[in-house]
Amino acid sequence: MSRKVQAEIERVFKKVAEGIEEFEDCYDKVLNASNASQKEKYETDLKKEIKKLQRLRDQIKTWIQSNEIKDKQDLLHHRKLIEKQMEKFKAIEKEMKTKAYSKEGLLQSTKLDPKEKEKLDLCNWLVDSVDALSTQIDVLEATAETIEGSLGKKRRDVGKVDRLSELHERVERHKHHIWCLERIQRLLENESLSTEQVQRIQEDVNYYVEQNDDEEFVEDEFIYDELPLNDDDA
């Protein structure tokens, strides 16, 4: 490994340490915010900090896949440090995504009329489904990185190359479902979709989320076809 690359790696490690410190500071402010507007501001700051860390993680992942670098322990360690912060952000993000239904609303959900309760339950289900798929993506990407790191420059191992292709394809499918589910949540919240429309796809989405890794799994590519997900006027 050249001195230039080593210096660049050390510079990124320093940025990771600084970024984690900034993230932790924002994270504490979110947890201790005294009012909703203050909390919203800190959540925005937190999102900026996690994006900075994710960019550093992308750079680290590139080095992990490089054959030029033999000892990758420090790189893997710093990637894991960032991913721990990503997990913390996911918990906050889940709350951010459901902020239309505040904590008070969740606590008082038993007092909601049946229709509102039904809508709230569906919104929570959508958020949980997105979280589950996001976690699966992390696992798939980590597996792909391991395989890529074991491939030589000539990439002659056909089995590993095919496995990589399969993993990348599954990641893209998961991302497609996440986009659809997040779009459905927005449309449901602004009443452009009815609870009945969402309930009709619930069983098929659950099957995809829970069984997509099964050998006998067969994907239904038309789950969302009857929903106006691409209708900007919705």
Side-chain angles (χ1 to χ4, degrees):
M1 177 173 51
S2 69
R3 288 184 181 178
K4 182 180 178 183
V5 173
Q6 181 63 46
E8 182 66 16
I9 289 174
E10 289 174 3
R11 188 177 69 83
V12 166
F13 285 172
K14 185 180 178 182
K15 281 190 171 183
V16 169
E18 292 169 352
I20 288 175
E21 190 175 338
E22 289 291 331
F23 178 88
E24 289 285 358
D25 184 51
C26 285
Y27 183 79
D28 289 340
K29 287 177 179 176
V30 169
L31 295 182
N32 298 313
S34 58
N35 57 64
S37 62
Q38 193 180 65
K39 185 172 185 180
E40 192 170 339
K41 177 192 177 299
Y42 292 143
E43 284 172 348
T44 302
D45 293 341
L46 191 68
K47 194 167 189 175
K48 288 177 184 174
E49 294 304 326
I50 200 64
K51 284 187 179 297
K52 290 179 189 175
L53 285 172
Q54 284 174 321
R55 285 195 290 272
L56 294 172
R57 176 176 174 260
D58 289 341
Q59 177 59 64
I60 290 171
K61 284 167 69 176
T62 301
W63 283 325
I64 289 172
Q65 293 162 16
S66 169
N67 292 321
E68 181 187 353
I69 302 169
K70 303 303 178 186
D71 185 359
K72 300 178 180 178
Q73 286 302 113
D74 282 346
L75 291 168
L76 291 167
H77 172 68
H78 281 79
R79 189 191 73 181
K80 285 178 183 176
L81 289 177
I82 294 172
E83 287 169 352
K84 281 182 182 177
Q85 306 307 313
M86 289 168 64
E87 287 299 317
K88 291 173 78 170
F89 178 76
K90 277 182 185 177
I92 294 288
E93 187 180 38
K94 182 176 179 179
E95 186 177 332
M96 287 161 63
K97 285 178 180 176
T98 55
K99 65 185 175 184
Y101 300 98
S102 64
K103 279 187 175 180
E104 291 78 7
L106 289 170
L107 291 170
Q108 296 171 5
S109 60
T110 53
K111 300 177 183 177
L112 296 173
D113 68 69
K115 268 294 179 190
E116 280 301 307
K117 177 71 163 62
E118 197 173 60
K119 183 176 174 182
L120 174 62
D121 288 342
L122 282 173
C123 284
N124 289 334
W125 166 73
L126 288 162
V127 170
D128 289 341
S129 299
V130 167
D131 283 349
L133 289 175
S134 297
T135 300
Q136 290 178 28
I137 285 175
D138 289 343
V139 173
L140 292 169
E141 289 182 336
T143 304
E145 284 172 20
T146 302
I147 294 173
E148 286 172 342
S150 68
L151 278 174
K153 287 184 179 180
K154 295 184 179 178
R155 303 171 77 88
R156 285 177 176 168
D157 192 326
V158 177
K160 287 183 178 180
V161 172
D162 288 346
R163 175 64 173 149
L164 266 180
S165 177
E166 176 198 335
L167 289 169
H168 290 318
E169 185 177 330
R170 286 183 61 198
V171 166
E172 290 309 308
R173 291 303 302 158
H174 280 16
K175 287 179 178 177
H176 168 71
H177 280 273
I178 286 173
W179 181 89
C180 290
L181 294 171
E182 289 181 337
R183 177 73 169 157
I184 287 168
Q185 184 184 348
R186 287 194 294 273
L187 294 174
L188 180 63
E189 286 176 349
N190 65 29
E191 299 185 349
S192 296
L193 279 179
S194 67
T195 54
E196 289 78 11
Q197 285 175 294
V198 179
Q199 285 168 337
R200 281 199 287 272
I201 66 162
Q202 199 167 5
E203 186 177 340
D204 290 332
V205 171
N206 284 338
Y207 172 65
Y208 179 86
V209 172
E210 295 165 10
Q211 304 293 328
N212 67 77
D213 197 28
D214 192 276
E215 287 184 8
E216 297 180 2
F217 170 75
V218 178
E219 182 179 358
D220 179 358
E221 297 181 3
F222 309 104
I223 295 175
Y224 311 105
D225 279 15
E226 294 183 11
L227 302 178
L229 303 189
N230 292 305
D231 183 358
D232 291 332
D233 295 328

